Amino acid sequence: MKKKYLLLLIQTLLVLSLVPLGAKAQPADSLAQPTAAAVWRWPLAGEPKILNAFDKPAEKWSAGHRGVDLAAVEGTQVIAPNRGRITFLGVVVDRPVLVIDHGYGFKTSLEPVTSELSVGSWVESGAKLGTVAKGAHCSGRCIHWGVRLDGEYIDPALLIEDLRPSILLPLND
């Protein structure tokens, strides 16, 4: 248990050092206008309930939960957690999946999501992507949100929530 906690703490600190609170995603290509970058947000309206938290496996091939499951019923609107370009939109095994490249190594995957957008479409933070569909372990009750940074899965909630420990500073007299 200690080892798992320590690994989670190290991962959290690494992500927070790479992505400071309120960080802005950079465009996925040089044609975008960087002045319109936005902060990370939940892919659903408001602050959704996390049904299943991120659980990074000890090894890349081991069992784990490489994202978060957010409570949502079929037909709920799904929004872009940050600006980027849609790089994949299709069915994987038994579920519709949408992938966004945010630039600087960040890629979001959302499932099950159906969308009328197409691969190559540019989306701004908060733009409507599609709706929650049926499929996989989330069918009818949630949406799975995964984020990769340079190919490694990270906890998407760390991009939204400030989970850093509080640091008490001495009072100056």
Side-chain angles (χ1 to χ4, degrees):
M1 183 68 176
K2 269 187 172 180
K3 184 177 178 182
K4 187 175 181 180
Y5 175 75
L6 183 58
L7 289 172
L8 181 61
L9 179 61
I10 290 169
Q11 176 196 13
T12 301
L13 293 173
L14 176 63
V15 169
L16 291 172
S17 69
L18 294 171
V19 185
L21 189 61
K24 297 181 179 186
Q26 297 301 313
D29 67 10
S30 61
L31 300 176
Q33 298 175 1
T35 57
V39 298
W40 287 88
R41 62 177 58 201
W42 294 108
L44 300 169
E47 186 172 339
K49 178 180 179 185
I50 297 176
L51 299 179
N52 292 311
F54 179 81
D55 181 19
K56 185 173 184 168
E59 302 293 336
K60 287 183 181 183
W61 58 85
S62 300
H65 193 240
R66 294 163 176 87
V68 294
D69 292 342
L70 305 173
V73 297
E74 186 178 357
T76 301
Q77 183 174 315
V78 179
I79 58 176
N82 209 322
R83 65 186 304 203
R85 188 163 314 281
I86 296 175
T87 57
F88 179 82
L89 187 59
V91 176
V92 176
V93 183
D94 62 348
R95 59 196 168 270
V97 177
L98 184 143
V99 177
I100 304 169
D101 185 341
H102 303 287
Y104 282 103
F106 286 94
K107 289 187 178 179
T108 287
S109 59
L110 296 159
E111 58 183 76
V113 174
T114 55
S115 178
E116 294 181 8
L117 299 173
S118 58
V119 171
S121 297
W122 180 262
V123 292
E124 291 295 331
S125 181
K128 181 180 178 187
L129 295 174
T131 56
V132 175
K134 288 184 180 179
H137 71 277
C138 266
S139 195
R141 66 180 190 90
C142 66
I143 184 173
H144 178 85
W145 179 29
V147 174
R148 287 174 286 154
L149 175 58
D150 295 328
E152 295 290 324
Y153 282 94
I154 63 171
D155 185 349
L158 296 177
L159 299 171
I160 308 287
E161 300 173 348
D162 185 2
L163 302 176
R164 294 174 289 184
S166 298
I167 299 172
L168 298 176
L169 300 174
L171 293 174
N172 293 331
D173 291 344

